[in-house]
């Protein structure tokens, strides 16, 4: 473990801003690198910025925050193979481990104890053709699927996928999230209510607590 490393952008404690753990204290382990270029990305600094850190140092650092919830987050964590043993080590240590992944990479090898939050890309991202639809078969009851949308087209495409794959019954939650600053969140809520859709609407809580571009929150 001393010789195994990951390129890390930052490790910090904050409030979980999204998903079913929203509002809880969480330690975020933000990795470097992403192969997608979503046009609304708010963590472009993580494309290249980072330093190599041993798995041991990460596993030793996380407990110092005295927080049981840990999220492995973007860039795209699954681009680095050593993220798989890291998640297993954190689960072994008793942490609840969340993985934020784009849905463009195979999730089947992720430790089954990990809660996978898969962000399936909509047309408005510019990266919808990168979705790996075979991942749907690997979803489990502890997982979440997220759609980030900025238009009616994005909403309609997301609804189609929710219904086609019966996502509400496959996983813990289906999340509909507005692209910050591109669409009125109320519009999505009204569409959900009109369609009686079995999904969970969410806002990025951290962008309302702090400035939308602030790092380390």
């Amino acid at each position: 473990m001393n010789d195994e490393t990951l390129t890390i952008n930052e490790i910090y404690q904050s409030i979980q801003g999204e998903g079913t753990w929203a509002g809880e204290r969480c330690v975020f382990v933000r990795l470097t690198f992403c192969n997608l270029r979503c046009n609304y990305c708010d963590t472009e600094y993580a494309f290249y910025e980072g330093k190599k850190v041993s798995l041991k140092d990460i596993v030793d650092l996380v407990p110092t925050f005295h927080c049981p919830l840990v999220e492995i987050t973007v860039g795209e964590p699954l681009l680095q193979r050593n993220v798989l043993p890291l998640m297993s080590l954190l689960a072994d240590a008793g942490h609840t481990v969340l993985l934020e992944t784009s849905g463009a990479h195979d999730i089947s090898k992720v430790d089954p104890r990990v809660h996978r939050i898969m962000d399936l890309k909509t047309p408005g991202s510019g990266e919808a053709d990168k979705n790996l639809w075979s991942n749907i078969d690997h979803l489990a009851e502890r997982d979440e699927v997220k759609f980030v949308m900025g238009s009616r087209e994005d909403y309609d495409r997301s609804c189609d996928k929710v219904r086609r794959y019966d996502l509400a019954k496959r996983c813990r939650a289906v999340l509909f999230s507005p692209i910050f600053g591109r669409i009125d969140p109320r519009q999505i809520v009204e569409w959900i209510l009109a369609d009686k859709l079995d999904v969970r609407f969410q806002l990025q809580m951290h962008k309302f607590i702090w400035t939308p571009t602030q790092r380390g929150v």
Side-chain angles (χ1 to χ4, degrees):
M1 188 167 64
N2 287 326
D3 296 331
E4 295 177 331
T5 64
L6 284 165
T7 304
I8 299 293
N9 179 267
E10 57 186 345
I11 299 176
Y12 60 95
Q13 177 189 228
S14 187
I15 295 297
Q16 177 60 254
E18 303 182 64
T20 58
W21 280 271
E24 295 190 28
R25 281 196 311 123
C26 184
V27 177
F28 292 87
V29 180
R30 185 182 302 285
L31 276 64
T32 306
F33 309 129
C34 188
N35 62 310
L36 303 186
R37 293 295 181 267
C38 299
N39 55 38
Y40 52 76
C41 182
D42 56 4
T43 53
E44 293 179 354
Y45 57 87
F47 289 170
Y48 307 109
E49 294 178 13
K51 62 180 182 179
K52 290 188 179 298
V53 183
S54 72
L55 297 193
K56 182 180 186 306
D57 285 346
I58 299 169
V59 172
D60 287 346
L61 175 62
V62 168
T64 66
F65 292 97
H66 303 286
C67 178
L69 187 63
V70 182
E71 177 170 297
I72 312 299
T73 188
V74 294
E76 172 49 63
L78 294 179
L79 286 174
Q80 300 189 56
R81 62 180 179 82
N82 281 337
V83 74
L84 297 175
L86 173 66
M87 291 186 286
S88 294
L89 289 166
L90 291 170
D92 289 344
H95 295 285
T96 298
V97 183
L98 315 180
L99 168 67
E100 183 92 20
T101 181
S102 68
H105 299 273
D106 181 13
I107 65 171
S108 65
K109 296 179 181 179
V110 175
D111 191 306
R113 295 172 293 178
V114 173
H115 301 259
R116 300 168 298 192
I117 304 165
M118 189 169 67
D119 183 354
L120 290 174
K121 301 303 180 183
T122 59
S125 71
E127 295 284 19
D129 61 333
K130 303 296 196 326
N131 289 325
L132 184 64
W133 295 106
S134 59
N135 275 330
I136 299 292
D137 293 331
H138 302 301
L139 289 172
E141 290 183 0
R142 67 176 57 233
D143 299 326
E144 302 178 17
V145 175
K146 179 170 67 172
F147 296 90
V148 181
M149 55 195 66
S151 68
R152 180 72 202 206
E153 179 189 13
D154 288 348
Y155 173 83
D156 287 340
R157 290 285 189 92
S158 301
C159 290
D160 175 68
K161 302 306 181 187
V162 170
R163 292 171 176 137
R164 181 182 303 182
Y165 295 106
D166 202 12
L167 291 178
K169 292 183 179 179
R170 285 180 179 265
C171 57
R172 175 185 175 102
V174 178
L175 311 168
F176 275 24
S177 182
I179 298 174
F180 189 85
R182 188 178 297 183
I183 188 171
D184 183 349
R186 183 174 59 184
Q187 183 66 81
I188 299 174
V189 172
E190 290 174 351
W191 292 334
I192 291 170
L193 294 175
D195 291 338
K196 297 179 172 55
L197 203 61
D198 188 15
V199 300
R200 178 185 294 226
F201 176 78
Q202 67 170 17
L203 296 170
Q204 292 175 294
M205 186 184 299
H206 50 287
K207 291 189 175 181
F208 293 89
I209 300 172
W210 295 279
T211 57
T213 58
Q214 187 165 334
R215 296 194 191 189
V217 295

